[in-house]
Amino acid sequence: MNPFKYGSIVLGKNFCGRKDLLKQIAAHMEASQNIVVIGERRIGKSSLVYEAVRKLKGTDILYMDLLGIKSVDALCKRMLRAIVTLEKKASWTAKIIQTLAYLRPTISVDPITSMPVVTFDASVELKADSIQEVLDLIESLAQKKRFMVVFDEFQDILKIKEADEAIALLRSKIQFHSNIPYVFVGSIRHKMDEIFISPNSAFFKSAIPITLDPLPVEEFSKFLIKKFESGKRKVLPDTLTHVFNIANNVTGDIQQLCEVLWEVTSVNDAVSPDNLKAALELIFTREQKSYEAFVSLLTDFQFKCLSALARESGKSVYSMDFVKAVGLHSTASVNRAITRMIDINILFKSGKEIRFVNPFFKAWLLPRGR
Ligand SMILES: Nc1ncnc2c1ncn2[C@@H]1O[C@H](COP(=O)(O)OP(=O)(O)OP(=O)(O)O)[C@@H](O)[C@H]1O
Ligand SMILES: [Mg+2]
């Protein structure tokens, strides 16, 4: 069986390293100290938080993913669903139904997962005051059991129309929940900074920041080599250096590339840099449709900028060299093209550099650029 896992949370023997951070998070959890975990996409944020909770036996996790939320109504309903999933006891279910009677909740059991699911009357829309009601519910639950509250993809709260109000209401309750550790996890650095580091924000300095960097190359390499060895594959020198480079050191992308390297090799094979072409081709075959969908969203000029960026990565896109590489256009039009591609999640800003969200899309684009 292919030992490489990507795209989902990894725990236990599938979780490599991060010993210091696990210890730090455990200590913060025990002190009910709120933290904010910030890192790139697919670097391992969710896994880190889940692994920390798993190691602290007896602690539960109230997990809410805010990815893509657009309204206060959706925010509250997601929080309520998480509460119902955490506390399955009948007495609690009755309490939730009682508190939220005006929402006409119905609770059923998912036949596949056997987990309770709550549905609400779709015609009743929750407003900002419900945020506080939901947080009161969390507080009363915390009097009965120990758990950590995790808001994943927290930066998406900024997409809500009443974002400022929602953030202020959350903060005003959370600051009194001194026995509950809250963890805010987020990907897009400058957006998380807006919430936690900007002096004007309600959450200013309210949580200890933990920044997640790539796993150390040596430690992660050893872990990956062992996985290959479990299927009697020997990894030749340099192979992983190429893998780490192509994946830009991003944990999840490295595992994805190893997953296909495994697929294109067999027992007793040496895994060498020569296998990388076939491995990448396998990723391209699987992801081709989404690459084409991305390209179809772009104008000719945007595509030109993207191809130039794939070729000239590392160079400042605002330099005259780059502007020349894409033809006779002004810095302003390059700027607009790049901004658009950041908006539709093809590119992202990492410090001063503009990078591809998906490094394999970049590799696919290279021979196809004009
Ligand atoms: N400590 C780790 N050891 C080994 N692999 C890891 C580790 N952390 C993350 N990964 C790899 O990265 C992938 C993504 O992990 P995870 O979902 O935790 O990251 P994330 O930063 O929360 O991602 P996203 O930005 O998509 O929410 C995992 O499926 C796994 O392949
Ligand atoms: Mg995540």
Side-chain angles (χ1 to χ4, degrees):
M1 208 174 66
N2 198 315
F4 298 101
K5 311 252 171 287
Y6 68 93
S8 56
I9 284 163
V10 287
L11 301 171
K13 68 177 182 7
N14 290 318
F15 185 94
C16 167
R18 307 240 192 251
K19 289 217 160 57
D20 283 350
L21 288 181
L22 287 170
K23 253 195 228 153
Q24 275 180 39
I25 295 180
H28 291 322
M29 253 187 291
E30 258 151 23
S32 295
Q33 166 67 55
N34 299 345
I35 55 174
V36 46
V37 177
I38 302 179
E40 257 184 58
R41 296 307 312 264
R42 300 180 301 276
I43 202 85
K45 303 174 296 293
S46 303
S47 300
L48 175 72
V49 171
Y50 263 91
E51 179 67 0
V53 174
R54 189 188 70 85
K55 288 192 151 219
L56 271 185
K57 296 193 172 68
T59 300
D60 233 322
I61 188 163
L62 178 62
Y63 181 85
M64 291 161 289
D65 190 344
L66 303 194
L67 188 73
I69 48 155
K70 301 244 161 33
S71 63
V72 164
D73 181 61
L75 170 69
C76 292
K77 285 177 180 163
R78 253 188 227 188
M79 287 164 64
L80 288 168
R81 287 201 186 94
I83 294 173
V84 173
T85 314
L86 178 74
E87 185 54 70
K88 301 155 200 109
K89 287 201 193 79
S91 58
W92 242 83
T93 311
K95 175 160 183 173
I96 291 174
I97 292 184
Q98 197 187 352
T99 319
L100 307 168
Y102 62 101
L103 274 178
R104 290 188 279 277
T106 37
I107 307 222
S108 53
V109 174
D110 183 319
I112 298 167
T113 61
S114 309
M115 296 295 267
V117 212
V118 63
T119 38
F120 304 101
D121 184 338
S123 64
V124 187
E125 196 187 329
L126 289 177
K127 295 276 182 312
D129 343 330
S130 304
I131 294 178
Q132 294 189 308
E133 261 178 84
V134 177
L135 287 167
D136 285 342
L137 215 51
I138 292 177
E139 194 192 19
S140 50
L141 186 53
Q143 283 159 12
K144 300 182 326 124
K145 67 193 291 174
R146 178 104 186 121
F147 59 88
M148 171 165 118
V149 182
V150 178
F151 287 100
D152 210 344
E153 307 292 356
F154 190 66
Q155 74 281 336
D156 275 16
I157 200 164
L158 292 172
K159 291 190 188 146
I160 295 181
K161 206 164 74 211
E162 311 88 342
D164 286 347
E165 192 187 1
I167 290 174
L169 287 169
L170 274 176
R171 165 76 175 132
S172 68
K173 278 284 172 192
I174 288 174
Q175 66 180 334
F176 292 109
H177 291 185
S178 52
N179 295 322
I180 311 175
Y182 280 84
V183 181
F184 306 91
V185 183
S187 288
I188 305 170
R189 174 109 216 174
H190 64 277
K191 288 199 174 152
M192 286 298 276
D193 286 356
E194 219 175 279
I195 303 173
F196 291 93
I197 298 180
S198 152
N200 302 327
S201 169
F203 273 96
F204 178 52
K205 287 194 178 171
S206 67
I208 293 185
I210 292 188
T211 305
L212 217 54
D213 293 318
L215 281 168
V217 173
E218 202 177 320
E219 187 178 29
F220 198 24
S221 298
K222 270 193 195 148
F223 169 93
L224 297 167
I225 288 169
K226 257 203 190 145
K227 297 257 176 209
F228 277 111
E229 281 171 355
S230 73
K232 300 205 166 41
R233 286 154 169 86
K234 188 174 160 26
V235 183
L236 294 188
D238 285 352
T239 313
L240 289 181
T241 314
H242 284 90
V243 169
F244 280 63
N245 276 340
I246 296 170
N248 240 314
N249 269 338
V250 174
T251 329
D253 297 335
I254 293 170
Q255 286 243 30
Q256 183 177 356
L257 195 43
C258 287
E259 193 267 348
V260 281
L261 269 175
W262 172 284
E263 288 298 316
V264 299
T265 50
S266 311
V267 171
N268 297 329
D269 274 358
V271 184
S272 79
D274 294 341
N275 295 119
L276 277 165
K277 191 167 179 299
L280 281 170
E281 284 300 332
L282 183 52
I283 294 185
F284 298 163
T285 311
R286 291 176 184 169
E287 298 191 346
Q288 175 129 5
K289 284 243 153 28
S290 67
Y291 300 164
E292 285 168 0
F294 273 140
V295 171
S296 72
L297 294 175
L298 303 179
T299 63
D300 273 0
F301 180 64
Q302 287 163 352
F303 184 76
K304 222 175 193 178
C305 289
L306 194 66
S307 311
L309 193 65
R311 284 192 311 272
E312 325 236 339
S313 57
K315 262 198 194 146
S316 164
V317 292
Y318 307 116
S319 72
M320 278 326 279
D321 277 356
F322 189 88
V323 175
K324 268 188 209 148
V326 291
L328 288 174
H329 284 272
S330 64
T331 325
S333 46
V334 171
N335 209 342
R336 268 197 303 278
I338 301 287
T339 307
R340 158 89 181 135
M341 291 186 283
I342 291 175
D343 284 346
I344 56 176
N345 219 12
I346 292 180
L347 300 174
F348 74 105
K349 232 185 185 149
S350 163
K352 286 212 160 87
E353 221 187 310
I354 306 287
R355 289 187 17 208
F356 279 74
V357 170
N358 181 345
F360 308 120
F361 178 44
K362 174 182 165 187
W364 177 83
L365 203 62
L366 265 176
R368 289 166 177 83
R370 277 170 243 163

